[in-house]
Amino acid sequence: MSPVSRSATEPVHNLRQEIAELAALPQVQAALDWFAEQEAEFTRWQLELAGIPAPPFGEAKRAEWLRAKFNEIGLEQVHTDEVGNVLGVLSGSAMPAISISAHVDTVFPAGIVVNPRQQGRKLYGPGISDNAAGVTALLALALGCRRFRPPHAASLLFVANVGEEGEGDLRGIRHIFSECEWKDRIGASLVIDGAGIDTIIADALGSRRFAITVQGPGGHSWTDFGAPNPIVAISRAITLFSEIRVPASPKTTFNVGVISGGTSVNSIPESASMRVDIRSSSAFEIERLELELRSAVKQAVQREDNGTDRGESAERELETVIKVIGNRPAGELDRKSRILQLARAVDSYLGNSAQLQRASTDANIPISLGREAIAIGAGGRGGGAHTLQEWFDPAGRELGLQRALLLVLALAAGDSNGVTG
Ligand SMILES: [Zn+2]
């Protein structure tokens, strides 16, 4: 435990009072109680949702199901946008809006058998927790707000977004903050991802990923000896790049995860490639490592082009293609931001203790833009994320839903701090 200064606890104390008053409103109280009563229905939704495959870039079927659900719940302005996100609104009188989102895609490729099922209390199936639990929470919050009409000055924007996982590269939420009509009208964002109530993700772990291919004329290993060799160039680039130093703090990492190239032992290869992953909590370090990587590749290729002891290769040069296959911006939420203070106050009110964490989620986008955003879990417990053995235990889910609802309503309440001003 790190010591907490008086000035840091004071506002939480006042805000906790605000949360207590909010929770005591009859409509809010009714919604909070209703979550536990509805568990059987939430479980049904979750199993049905997880039964619709949603591989990266193949979320349309699941989005269709969600659009019908949004309409059934009675959200306004329900529509699917250009990239496949499903949006729905509960209008308020004040702007900016509060966005509540959950990603609908899974890491699992098309063609795997999803077969979600309940055994005893637990639910099993790929994606059942990440992020069928989050999407179920999104629906539960929307229905709770629609049904009990708790007060919210700000409009609530519900987003079931595509493209969070892997090479989806946050494209769904990126679209919301770059192209969507709501992009400048979102004051704070709550991202619901996975299970649990014990974390608040307030810092965005950035990453940048590259596919690097070096191509050459190739040739016969005996008669064309001396022609530049893409595998040698890539290997040398790896050696050069892997010698660079990275700081322990801000934590910065790199990985060459895949290499490939060549066709036979007696052919000079025509092509070689590698995939590289760079991560850091610091946007500066990510930039620096990218420059180092590009410089290592350039040096390695030049050296191979300039000819070696194997002979000259003046006219037969190598070509390099560096493709960015992933780019998730890093960032840190201001510790004094209202969303974080309210989340702390809600946890204090509920008697919940949560750790601040850094992770790569949809919240990376708003956080990197300097907007207020956090990611939290949907309640319950989960495990085996990104494996076929994934599970979710709904026991205590209502606490996660209560936590999310109180936070959303507090953010949407309208306040002198300007969140909805
Ligand atoms: Zn997720």
Side-chain angles (χ1 to χ4, degrees):
M1 287 286 286
S2 56
V4 178
S5 73
R6 192 180 152 79
S7 58
T9 55
E10 209 77 56
V12 170
H13 184 75
N14 293 337
L15 289 175
R16 189 195 143 122
Q17 186 56 35
E18 205 177 305
I19 302 296
E21 284 163 20
L22 179 66
L25 296 175
Q27 311 96 302
V28 178
Q29 189 62 64
L32 294 176
D33 293 343
W34 173 80
F35 287 137
E37 297 158 19
Q38 281 305 105
E39 180 48 45
E41 176 83 344
F42 297 157
T43 293
R44 263 197 302 280
W45 287 350
Q46 193 167 344
L47 288 169
E48 206 175 317
L49 175 84
I52 308 168
F57 301 95
E59 303 101 331
K61 273 249 158 60
R62 193 176 280 193
E64 215 170 279
W65 184 90
L66 277 158
R67 185 176 165 151
K69 268 278 174 294
F70 274 19
N71 278 319
E72 214 174 280
I73 286 170
L75 295 183
E76 305 146 36
Q77 303 171 46
V78 174
H79 70 285
T80 305
D81 71 15
E82 300 90 320
V83 297
N85 299 319
V86 183
L87 292 85
V89 180
L90 286 177
S91 296
S93 54
M95 276 293 163
I98 306 303
S99 151
I100 307 116
S101 70
H103 74 84
V104 302
D105 58 313
T106 69
V107 292
F108 303 98
I112 69 142
V113 178
V114 283
N115 184 33
R117 66 216 173 271
Q118 185 166 22
Q119 282 168 0
R121 198 178 61 194
K122 279 187 179 175
L123 314 184
Y124 293 86
I128 194 72
S129 177
D130 181 12
N131 194 22
V135 179
T136 300
L138 182 75
L139 293 173
L141 292 169
L143 184 55
C145 289
R146 170 79 186 140
R147 185 156 170 175
F148 297 97
R149 306 271 177 193
H152 56 91
S155 291
L156 306 182
L157 174 66
F158 294 90
V159 183
N161 64 277
V162 297
E164 192 270 342
E165 302 283 7
E167 292 184 21
D169 202 28
L170 310 181
R171 78 180 196 288
I173 213 72
R174 225 182 268 273
H175 183 84
I176 297 292
F177 283 93
S178 60
E179 310 289 330
C180 164
E181 54 175 321
W182 288 91
K183 70 181 163 90
D184 299 319
R185 294 193 282 152
I186 296 171
S189 307
L190 179 66
V191 171
I192 306 176
D193 200 340
I197 52 169
D198 52 356
T199 57
I200 297 172
I201 294 165
D203 294 329
L205 175 63
S207 66
R208 208 166 288 172
R209 293 165 182 172
F210 303 89
I212 300 174
T213 304
V214 176
Q215 285 170 316
H220 192 280
S221 62
W222 172 256
T223 52
D224 296 310
F225 184 63
N229 185 321
I231 288 183
V232 173
I234 283 279
S235 307
R236 192 172 280 130
I238 292 170
T239 305
L240 287 171
F241 178 61
S242 58
E243 276 163 6
I244 71 160
R245 293 183 154 289
V246 290
S249 173
K251 185 173 176 181
T252 302
T253 65
F254 61 86
N255 183 49
V256 180
V258 181
I259 56 169
S260 59
T263 51
S264 80
V265 69
N266 55 346
S267 305
I268 297 167
E270 290 177 64
S271 151
S273 65
M274 64 170 163
R275 290 188 171 223
V276 183
D277 168 77
I278 292 172
R279 295 179 182 233
S280 181
S281 50
S282 150
F284 173 82
E285 285 298 325
I286 290 179
E287 288 300 328
R288 185 179 73 86
L289 257 67
E290 174 172 355
L291 290 178
E292 293 280 8
L293 176 64
R294 287 179 183 273
S295 144
V297 171
K298 195 172 170 188
Q299 277 185 59
V301 167
Q302 259 170 11
R303 178 136 171 228
E304 188 62 14
D305 267 342
N306 289 344
T308 62
D309 295 344
R310 300 193 304 275
E312 289 299 318
S313 60
E315 288 151 43
R316 297 182 296 174
E317 296 211 324
L318 295 175
E319 251 175 62
T320 309
V321 178
I322 300 181
K323 193 175 161 209
V324 179
I325 55 171
N327 186 3
R328 297 170 181 236
E332 286 178 355
L333 180 65
D334 184 347
R335 291 296 178 266
K336 292 199 196 78
S337 65
R338 183 159 168 81
I339 192 169
L340 195 50
Q341 295 197 2
L342 284 174
R344 289 303 206 187
V346 167
D347 279 336
S348 161
Y349 171 75
L350 293 173
N352 182 44
S353 98
Q355 300 271 346
L356 282 191
Q357 275 194 357
R358 177 185 306 278
S360 174
T361 68
D362 281 325
N364 278 45
I365 297 297
I367 289 175
S368 72
L369 293 170
R371 314 277 277 270
E372 293 214 353
I374 58 170
I376 62 172
R381 286 187 316 127
H386 297 193
T387 75
L388 298 176
Q389 285 73 45
E390 192 170 347
W391 58 270
F392 177 79
D393 180 350
R397 185 207 303 261
E398 67 276 8
L399 199 54
L401 299 177
Q402 291 168 349
R403 184 179 183 227
L405 181 69
L406 287 173
L407 177 56
V408 166
L409 294 177
L411 285 166
D415 182 277
S416 52
N417 286 6
V419 169
T420 59

